[in-house]
Amino acid sequence: MNAYNIDIKPKKHLLDINFKEIWFYRDLLYMFIKRSIITVYKQTILGPLWFIVQPLMTTAMYILVFGRIAQLSTDGLPQILFYMSGIVIWNYFSESFTTTAHTFNQNAQIFGKVYFPRLIMPLAEILSGLIKFFIQFSLFIAIYLYFYFSGNTSIQPNWTLALVPVYIGLMALIGLAAGLIFSSLTTKYRDLNHLLTFGVQLLMYATPVIYPVSTIPEKYKIFIQANPLTPILEGFKYAFLGAGHFSWDALGYSGGFTAVLLFFGLIIFHQTERSFIDTV
Amino acid sequence: MSQPIIKIENLSKLYRLGEVGTGTLSHDLNRWWKTKVLRREDPYTKIGSVNDRTQAAQKGEHVWALRDINLELQEGDVLGIIGKNGAGKSTLLKLLSQVTSPTTGRIRARGRMASLLEVGTGFHPEMTGRENIYMNGTIMGMRKKEITSKLDEIVEFSGIAKYLDTPVKRYSSGMTVRLGFAIAAHLEPEILVVDEVLAVGDAEFQKKAIGKMQDVSKSHGRTVLFVSHNMAAVKALCKSGMVLVNGSQRFEGNINDAIDFYQENNALVLAENNHWEFGNNAENDNIRVTSIKITPLNGTTLDISSGVQIEIDFYNKIKDITEDLTFEIVTKEDILVFHHGVVFAKDRDSKLGKHKITAVIPPDVLNANTYSMNLIFGQSQRYVLFSKERICAFEVENVAIGNNMSVMPGVVRPNITYTVNRNDQK
């Protein structure tokens, strides 16, 4: 007689993620990713083209408003590349953050009826976001290559291109961690939902997406650099464009911050998933 | 006897009533301060309040939706869980399905456990039937290749072959349910937990669904926990039964006995001439209720304006205590009309032997309806000596208002006096 494999008890440990179980449910992860990709643009004319239209339009708008009207510096780089690189990676973060932040509230219906490792849901959001990111990223690369081969000397790609996957990973994980915390807290305190949308917007202006760090007056620099997203944005742009700033210290700071945030995110998510259906 | 496949020990679940979501930060801080820092009892938990829906909830009060459930099931057992609405059936299913976690106690089980609290969980209206089969199947813990190998069976069982590549939003509700059930039926878990999902769908489909569940339990030796109000379905499917009343486990055993127990506890005990003799059916160590007689106070028919006289004959077996009798009148819709206590032995002067209490419900109180009576004998208005719910039931006839023969809505129908002052101006 084999032992009991299901054991339902009131108190679990602070953090025990059952990776084996998540692995067992990998097909579900795949299905959720598929669902979020194929359902978003069903019954639309442009379909997946919307993935590309959105960053293109945003870039055009930024060039007009920040580049032409406000005349913000881009460190001498072609504006389209400067803005687009910022938008593409920032979008991935904000997408990951906002979609995972709705994990509990938007899936209460499913969570109330059937059990599966709840972490599957935010993971699926992060991964489907990654697919969207790569579509937009390819667009950026295409434009980038056009500029590069047409002999634009201001672009100086360098060895830190090897770190690009790290930047993308960090963006995903910070988005995930912040989203986990948000989604857990919003099950009880709905106020946070109101904060979320404009909070992300404000955060974007506190992060060097549309301006380079070099334009920040010395006395404010410390605030911008305290933002753990800054080294990622700067590093990403530096790798492709060669302007800006790269340092291991800053990257280490971002990495450490991500690890701590993720640790707390997982704990609070884990604590919430056990009983949120009673409070939602 | 082998080790049980499911073992439930002292399972309880506490819920908080009233508003949840406002002022919770201060509540949470208060609770955290009192319990974790001062190590006091949780100020928001009143231990002992049973889940009795007839009492109005106080704001912030906690109730036990389930209390001390113990259960063991062997492989191949099919258990029916029956009880009124709010008895805790759904809570038990939610705990079994791991949708929420218990307050105390433990559930252990062997093998794969699938729960059907609803069919078609995770169906997305924009996706096709085929896509949704994979979506729903994986949500319930199936592997993709497992679904692929059973796809034909599922499609055949649900009878939607023609619409397999049509978005589910174009399906009729019956088709959606059939598809959902078909997927669930092909899960092949060791333990299947089924809620009243069979209540949907047409009669033919229900028959098919019950047949499938019988097949699963009998020929495959799977364990099934089935919750339903449909006694015929429970009887057809289950071998054993459990009756839940207000969150507690009141009966467990053979399914026929369980159904009898449930129906006895919910049946209207009507009697000719409104006269009940109990023999020794209403007796314990403290009290024996011998008979109850309900008559109109005025006239010959028990109607709204006749008033109701209730005579309760009982034999008291304890002397020298303070004793009281409380009776409750409940409508057939389970609404408590009133709860009234009579102290028949003050200051510890109760006597042994026969007693008769005659109580009168004045005219123009009860509306036309069928009522049941609960009797509770108590000591010092604190301890219960004897209680019997729905000991008897009686009907109050309607009295027409003018030419209007219909029964007025409402629980009570008082005779309201009024004056009209009109200031007619020309």
Side-chain angles (χ1 to χ4, degrees), chain A residues 1-12 21 23-28 30-32 34-35 38-39 42-43 109-116 118 188-190 273-280, chain B residues 3-5 7 13 15 20-21 24-25 28 95-111 113 115 117-118 121-122 124 126-127 131 134-135 138-141 143-144 169-170:
Chain A
M1 210 38 51
N2 49 348
Y4 292 114
N5 61 331
I6 299 170
D7 191 356
I8 305 167
K9 281 184 294 187
K11 285 266 175 200
K12 283 191 198 166
E21 199 181 36
W23 179 244
F24 177 82
Y25 275 94
R26 60 192 182 277
D27 286 342
L28 178 62
Y30 169 78
M31 282 308 297
F32 275 136
K34 190 173 165 189
R35 187 178 81 167
I38 65 175
T39 57
K42 279 223 174 174
Q43 255 192 31
Q109 182 59 27
I110 295 180
F111 285 3
K113 296 297 179 191
V114 69
Y115 172 80
F116 53 84
R118 302 306 188 213
K188 269 200 146 177
Y189 313 112
R190 294 287 168 86
E273 70 173 3
R274 294 189 293 123
S275 62
F276 102 98
I277 212 71
D278 305 334
T279 54
V280 75
Chain B
Q3 211 188 353
I5 188 162
K7 196 170 177 176
K13 174 79 186 173
Y15 273 115
V20 175
T24 48
L25 185 57
D28 286 350
L95 292 177
L96 281 165
S97 326
Q98 304 185 58
V99 161
T100 182
S101 60
T103 310
T104 65
R106 191 172 189 186
I107 303 172
R108 278 176 294 173
R110 250 181 302 124
M113 184 153 72
S115 56
L117 299 195
E118 141 189 283
T121 307
H124 196 291
E126 297 285 353
M127 297 203 297
E131 285 165 342
Y134 282 98
M135 187 73 242
T138 49
I139 279 187
M140 294 198 293
R143 303 299 314 280
K144 246 179 93 193
K169 64 177 174 182
R170 310 246 180 270

Side-chain angles (χ1 to χ4, degrees), chain A residues 115-129:
Chain A
Y115 172 80
F116 53 84
R118 302 306 188 213
L119 211 50
I120 293 275
M121 216 68 184
L123 283 179
E125 299 290 5
I126 297 299
L127 292 174
S128 67

Side-chain angles (χ1 to χ4, degrees), chain B residues 195-255:
Chain B
D195 199 1
E196 287 171 298
V197 283
L198 295 173
V200 283
D202 53 26
E204 190 200 353
F205 178 71
Q206 287 194 13
K207 232 167 123 186
K208 204 171 165 185
I210 290 180
K212 180 74 194 175
M213 292 210 300
Q214 273 173 332
D215 185 49
V216 164
S217 66
K218 282 191 185 135
S219 54
H220 297 90
R222 313 255 185 234
T223 309
V224 181
L225 284 91
F226 180 53
V227 163
S228 181
H229 275 131
N230 181 346
M231 291 300 146
V234 173
K235 214 166 185 166
L237 194 65
C238 306
K239 289 179 222 159
S240 55
M242 178 164 94
V243 181
L244 290 177
V245 179
N246 291 340
S248 315
Q249 189 175 4
R250 283 289 172 81
F251 185 89
E252 205 215 315
N254 178 287
I255 187 64

Side-chain angles (χ1 to χ4, degrees), chain B residues 25-164:
Chain B
L25 185 57
S26 59
H27 267 174
D28 286 350
L29 288 176
N30 186 3
R31 192 172 183 171
W32 175 81
W33 178 255
K34 294 252 167 75
T35 57
K36 295 279 155 64
V37 183
L38 301 180
R39 304 241 162 235
R40 281 196 209 143
E41 210 175 285
D42 190 338
Y44 294 99
T45 312
K46 286 186 200 149
I47 302 290
S49 40
V50 291
N51 183 13
D52 186 350
R53 292 216 174 168
T54 54
Q55 315 274 311
Q58 283 160 17
K59 196 181 162 194
E61 194 188 353
H62 285 73
V63 292
W64 292 102
L66 271 188
R67 196 77 205 259
D68 292 332
I69 304 295
N70 286 283
L71 187 70
E72 285 188 6
L73 286 182
Q74 299 293 331
E75 231 163 291
D77 278 358
V78 183
L79 177 80
I81 301 168
I82 46 190
K84 283 193 290 186
N85 284 331
K89 292 173 306 206
S90 303
T91 307
L92 180 57
L93 290 191
K94 274 188 187 168
L95 292 177
L96 281 165
S97 326
Q98 304 185 58
V99 161
T100 182
S101 60
T103 310
T104 65
R106 191 172 189 186
I107 303 172
R108 278 176 294 173
R110 250 181 302 124
R112 191 156 70 164
M113 184 153 72
S115 56
L116 269 179
L117 299 195
E118 141 189 283
V119 289
T121 307
F123 270 12
H124 196 291
E126 297 285 353
M127 297 203 297
T128 66
R130 187 194 301 275
E131 285 165 342
N132 272 315
I133 291 176
Y134 282 98
M135 187 73 242
N136 179 246
T138 49
I139 279 187
M140 294 198 293
M142 278 164 110
R143 303 299 314 280
K144 246 179 93 193
K145 56 175 186 280
E146 215 178 323
I147 301 170
T148 308
S149 69
K150 287 179 190 153
L151 191 66
D152 292 341
E153 274 179 74
I154 293 174
V155 173
E156 197 203 341
F157 186 86
S158 61
I160 56 131
K162 232 171 153 181
Y163 303 91
L164 193 57

Side-chain angles (χ1 to χ4, degrees), chain A residues 33-280:
Chain A
I33 295 170
K34 190 173 165 189
R35 187 178 81 167
S36 68
I37 295 284
I38 65 175
T39 57
V40 175
Y41 296 108
K42 279 223 174 174
Q43 255 192 31
T44 59
I45 298 168
L46 293 183
L49 272 181
W50 281 110
F51 289 132
I52 294 174
V53 172
Q54 191 264 342
L56 273 180
M57 299 295 277
T58 316
T59 306
M61 189 55 75
Y62 284 2
I63 290 173
L64 184 69
V65 175
F66 299 117
R68 294 287 138 81
I69 300 174
Q71 303 207 328
L72 292 181
S73 155
T74 56
D75 272 355
L77 295 166
Q79 284 178 338
I80 184 165
L81 289 182
F82 182 84
Y83 289 127
M84 200 166 204
S85 59
I87 287 166
V88 163
I89 191 144
W90 176 261
N91 270 359
Y92 182 40
F93 164 77
S94 76
E95 272 254 351
S96 302
F97 182 27
T98 46
T99 52
T100 51
H102 291 127
T103 303
F104 281 122
N105 281 341
Q106 279 191 347
N107 297 298
Q109 182 59 27
I110 295 180
F111 285 3
K113 296 297 179 191
V114 69
Y115 172 80
F116 53 84
R118 302 306 188 213
L119 211 50
I120 293 275
M121 216 68 184
L123 283 179
E125 299 290 5
I126 297 299
L127 292 174
S128 67
L130 193 60
I131 294 171
K132 289 177 205 166
F133 167 77
F134 273 116
I135 296 173
Q136 300 181 347
F137 185 63
S138 319
L139 175 71
F140 166 73
I141 292 294
I143 296 172
Y144 176 77
L145 289 178
Y146 168 78
F147 272 89
Y148 185 73
F149 287 111
S150 62
N152 192 314
T153 48
S154 61
I155 315 171
Q156 285 152 353
N158 49 67
W159 67 270
T160 61
L161 276 174
L163 288 173
V164 166
V166 176
Y167 298 140
I168 297 169
L170 281 177
M171 270 310 201
L173 292 179
I174 293 181
L176 175 70
L180 290 180
I181 293 172
F182 248 80
S183 70
S184 304
L185 293 177
T186 44
T187 60
K188 269 200 146 177
Y189 313 112
R190 294 287 168 86
D191 322 42
L192 292 172
N193 270 336
H194 303 284
L195 180 68
L196 184 66
T197 337
F198 78 88
V200 172
Q201 198 72 35
L202 292 184
L203 190 58
M204 190 184 91
Y205 292 107
T207 311
V209 178
I210 48 169
Y211 54 83
V213 174
S214 59
T215 60
I216 304 294
E218 207 54 49
K219 58 178 176 177
Y220 299 126
K221 233 172 202 164
I222 183 80
F223 296 110
I224 297 295
Q225 277 162 349
N227 180 349
L229 295 169
T230 300
I232 304 172
L233 254 300
E234 280 286 292
F236 187 77
K237 285 180 183 167
Y238 179 77
F240 286 101
L241 308 172
H245 177 74
F246 170 80
S247 85
W248 285 108
D249 290 351
L251 189 60
Y253 167 67
S254 276
F257 183 89
T258 309
V260 172
L261 196 68
L262 191 61
F263 179 70
F264 282 113
L266 287 171
I267 288 179
I268 188 169
F269 186 84
H270 183 68
Q271 294 296 310
T272 307
E273 70 173 3
R274 294 189 293 123
S275 62
F276 102 98
I277 212 71
D278 305 334
T279 54
V280 75

